[in-house]
Amino acid sequence: MTSVMPWERPGSKIDDRHLQRLAVIYVRQSTRQQLVDHQESTRLQYALVDRAVALGWQADRVLVIDEDLGKSGSSAVARTGFQRLVTEIGLDHVGLVLGIEMSRLARSGRD
């Protein structure tokens, strides 16, 4: 029996134009204390690389942005990783963004 990959299933939303772009994994915790107290969350976020590969991205097309570890999400100004993510998306370089708690990606509509 041949296994069918998720992007090969009828009705899949992932197609070649997505796979030709980057899969971006955005990793962050709001404070240094969270990094210490919630190491499992950080590990799970880095494990999203394997998820992107399982969805069809080549490992060299998966970009991990983790510069914002230990930085508050109250503003995007000091979060260079968030700024990089927005730039890559704006330049149409990104086919997929994965992260944990994506609803907390930005706390203000302006960001």
Side-chain angles (χ1 to χ4, degrees), residues 13-23 57 94-96:
K13 294 183 180 185
I14 299 172
D15 60 34
D16 287 338
R17 70 185 167 95
H18 296 106
L19 296 172
Q20 292 167 0
R21 295 182 176 110
L22 295 171
W57 271 263
V94 178
L96 175 74

Side-chain angles (χ1 to χ4, degrees), residues 17-88:
R17 70 185 167 95
H18 296 106
L19 296 172
Q20 292 167 0
R21 295 182 176 110
L22 295 171
V24 178
I25 313 303
Y26 184 68
V27 179
R28 72 175 292 273
Q29 296 278 12
S30 294
T31 66
R32 294 270 179 216
Q33 192 61 44
Q34 283 183 344
L35 286 169
V36 172
D37 293 343
H38 305 288
Q39 293 177 14
E40 178 69 6
S41 175
T42 305
R43 186 191 65 73
L44 288 171
Q45 291 179 71
Y46 281 111
L48 290 171
V49 171
D50 296 330
R51 178 73 175 134
V53 170
L55 287 169
W57 271 263
Q58 297 296 315
D60 64 345
R61 300 294 298 153
V62 178
L63 171 64
V64 175
I65 297 178
D66 60 2
E67 295 95 349
D68 296 340
L69 280 171
K71 295 183 181 176
S72 171
S74 62
S75 171
V77 175
R79 292 172 40 212
T80 58
F82 179 77
Q83 294 170 14
R84 182 177 180 196
L85 173 64
V86 171
T87 299
E88 293 292 343

